[in-house]
Structure formats: C-alpha cells, structure tokens
Amino acid sequence: MISSEQGLFGEFGGRYVPEILRPALCQLEDIYQQLRSDENFWQEYLQLTQEFSGRPTPLTPLPRLSESLGGAKIWLKREDLNHSGAHKINNVLGQALLVKRMGKQRIIAETGAGQHGLATAIIAARMGLQATIYMGSEDVERQYSNVFWMRQLGAEVVPVSHGSCTLKDALDEALRDWAASVDDTHYVLGTACGPAPFPELVTYFQRVISQEIRAQAKHQIGALPNAVVACVGGGSNALGAFCDFLDEPSVRLLGVEAGGRSQQPGQHSIRLQGDLASPGIAQGYKTLFLQNRDGQLGETHSIAAGLDYVGVSPVLADLVARGRVDATSATDSEVTHAFQLLMRYEGIIPALESSHALAGGFALAKKMQPHEHVVINLSGRGDKDIFNIAQALPQQEWLDFLKREVTRTEQRLRESANNPNREEQYVSNV
Ligand SMILES: Cc1ncc(COP(=O)(O)O)c(C=O)c1O
C-alpha cells in the first residue's frame, strides 16, 4: 500500500492551496489517517461496494483475442461491470463514507468523461445530498449522455467555458467553489491528483482493484500475472490496479497515456514519458504538467475525454521516476483499432479511455511468451462513447437515425408547447 511523507511522493505531491482550504484538507487528512488503520472501516467500505456496486468484478480471460495476437494470455479486470459503468464509483463510495462522518450536506466534483460526475450524482441521490458537478463545456458536448443522467439524478451540472474547456478547467472551478463553501461542502475529487491527502486517499479506495486481481489471479491462473496494464488520465484506475503489486518486482506495471493525434503540443496528453511535460505546481499540488517555459499550462487532446488532463497523479509521477512503473502511449487510431478488436473477438464494448490500456496491453502481450499472463484493467464500458464512436466510424445508418430522432424531439417539444398539461405525462417534478 502506498503512503506519503506528509503528502509528498519523492519530489511530487504536497498541498499548495489558499489558506481558506487548509482546515478542510487537515480535517480530511485526520479522518483518513484514523480510518486507514481501522479494519472495520475497510470492511464497511467493502460491504458497500458489494451491495451497491456489484463487487467483486470478474477477471475475464480473452481466449480468442489472445490466440489471434499470438503472445501472452490476456485477461481483463472488469471494472466496466461496476454500477454506473466505471471504476470511478469505488472512490466515490469511499468518500461518501467520509462525508457521512463529517456530517456535510453538499458535495461537489469535477468530471471529464462524466463517469466520476455520474458516480457522484448517484451517491448524492442515494444519501439525500445536494450535488454540483463542474464539467468543461467541450466535455459536456463529448459526453452528453452522462450530463443527461446526472441532471435526471438531481445534480446541478455546471459547464465550464474558459481555458481549454476540459478537465483542468473543471478542477479549477471546483476548487474555487470549495474555497467559498468549505463549511458545509465536501469536494469529492475524482482522481489521484490535487492537494494532499487526495492522491493517497483516492488510491486507497481504488486499491480494491489490485486486491481482487491478486486473489483472482492466484485462483484462476495459479500465480501472479506477469504484467498489469491500465490507462492513465489522472491515474486513479492505474494506481488502483498497480497498488498491491508494487512490492512484487516480477509483475511488470504499465501505464498507457493518450498519444492523441501526434506528439505536437496540444495534440496529446503524454506527461510521464520523455520531456514533453515538466515538474510544476498548479491546482494545489506538484507534479509533471504539460506547460510552456513560462509555466502556462498547455492544451491537451485525446479521443477519450477522461484522459486529456494536463497533469498526472504525483504518486504515478514518482513511481515512474523511480522505475517501478513503465509508461507508454496509444494514439487515437490505435485506440479505435483496439476498441474494435475487443468487440469483434470477445463481445465486450469498452470505454475509449480503457481502450488505451487495451492498445498498450495488446502490444505488450504480442512480445511476451504464450505461458505468460497479462491483466488489462478495463476501467469502464463504452455506452457513454456511442456518439464519439459513431463519429470515428461514420455510417449513413447512424446519420439517418440522428435525423429521425431530431425530428421526433422537435415534434414532441412543439406538442408540449401547444398543450402544457401534456408535458406532465413525460416529466414529473419530484
Ligand atoms: C472509464 C474511465 N477510465 C479512465 C479514466 C481516467 O481516469 P483515471 O486515470 O483517474 O483512472 C476515466 C476518467 O473519466 C474514465 O471515465
């Protein structure tokens, strides 16, 4: 299990926030430190993940794809089968238990692909809390199905329309809100980034992934896997999948970043490899950021909304610097190809974020021996990506469907404008 020296991981991490946020972060740190050594709390957390999210998620072999690629045997850790469709719910359920202990009534969150926002809206509905979710306006467009669900669940979704209109801008806005509302509000940060204790706290809850992989691999493979592969946005699913293998040098750990369209500035989100990113302090912590010489944060791109973040977990930055975790990247077109391979060979529809891990994992498996085993963390399912995929693989049939859908929606809106009572048949105010 990872732990920090006062929130520091090597040269990365720390807590660089306005004075007003310090008491809330200290309170969170105290509660986390108390609960971290409390086995009953971990059991309460596990019970919640089982009852509400369907854990443990299975470890699924991919026999047809492994045979076709011709290298190691490939397995998927099925975080896509969590309630709400991604690993993000693991962290949200853990932080929900902390909110209960702190007695706060409102939660806020930032979201990129919308999966963390969706998980937060779900837990707010379940616990009767007020929720506000900040989301870059570009991500609102890219992941509108999640925006729709968050609003139906009763959360307020606030589009952020400045900067690159993506995750880093949403995170800034959430920190700003928190500074003004800290007395009654908890910030449910969605990845292993931000000021201490968030990187460690989020990793702590996501650790359930590697705990399960370990037990399942021993049972199903008869040994630990030779490699574990995960995609890296902020770093939470990767750290969750790697955590319990950090002290097992025989297990190779590989993080896959978004290679985007090219390695030109603004066309990718590669922070852990080469010198495309450099150390800096922003958004409350020190890590590797994509930035110019003046320290201005750079633009990012990925086909996957959840991976185009400008920084990366300080925990991962340190593990890569120390050589314990390797990093690679997959381009948008490699990702689309891996996405199609998994669907066609194994009947599983992955999220675009997770398809980065697939692309990196397939390339690694091909270089390995048939008696070896690779586990790829499938962080989420692809339902939310239907519009992006339909654009990446354009088909007339899809365009015709969209046109019919627009016509139907316009007609329904006209009908309800002409007859306001009729609207009640469709929408009831709770
Ligand atoms: C399905 C999925 N996978 C991965 C990520 C990347 O986040 P992280 O690196 O924190 O796991 C996201 C972020 O939204 C996501 O929705």
Side-chain angles (χ1 to χ4, degrees), residues 85-88 111-116 143 146 167 190-193 202 206 231-239 271 305-307 316 351-354 377-381 384-385:
H87 69 294
K88 296 283 179 186
T111 196
Q115 290 301 100
H116 173 59
Q143 305 279 222
N146 274 338
L167 188 59
T191 189
C193 291
V202 174
Q206 292 294 358
C231 68
V232 181
S236 71
N237 89 91
L239 283 163
R271 298 127 314 162
L307 298 195
L316 264 185
L352 282 171
E353 288 77 12
S354 322
N377 194 38
L378 195 72
S379 55
R381 64 176 186 235
K384 71 181 175 53
D385 292 318

Side-chain angles (χ1 to χ4, degrees), residues 1 28 32 35 41-42 44-46 48-50 52-55 57 79 82-100 102 107-112 114-124 127 129 133 167 171 186-195 197-210 212 234-241 313 377 379:
M1 181 50 203
L28 193 60
Y32 166 60
L35 295 176
F41 176 72
W42 186 252
E44 186 184 349
Y45 166 70
L46 286 184
L48 186 59
T49 64
Q50 285 159 16
F52 193 65
S53 190
R55 299 207 73 87
T57 59
E79 290 304 293
N82 274 300
H83 175 42
S84 81
H87 69 294
K88 296 283 179 186
I89 193 111
N90 305 334
N91 166 46
V92 168
L93 292 183
Q95 291 204 41
L97 294 180
L98 298 182
V99 174
K100 214 161 80 176
M102 290 184 289
I107 53 181
I108 57 175
E110 85 297 336
T111 196
Q115 290 301 100
H116 173 59
L118 180 63
T120 306
I122 282 173
I123 205 66
M127 290 173 63
L129 302 172
I133 315 291
L167 188 59
L171 203 144
H186 174 63
Y187 178 12
V188 187
L189 214 152
T191 189
C193 291
F198 281 114
E200 193 176 324
L201 183 114
V202 174
T203 304
Y204 175 74
F205 291 124
Q206 292 294 358
R207 174 191 170 207
V208 67
I209 302 174
S210 51
E212 287 178 9
S236 71
N237 89 91
L239 283 163
S313 174
N377 194 38
S379 55

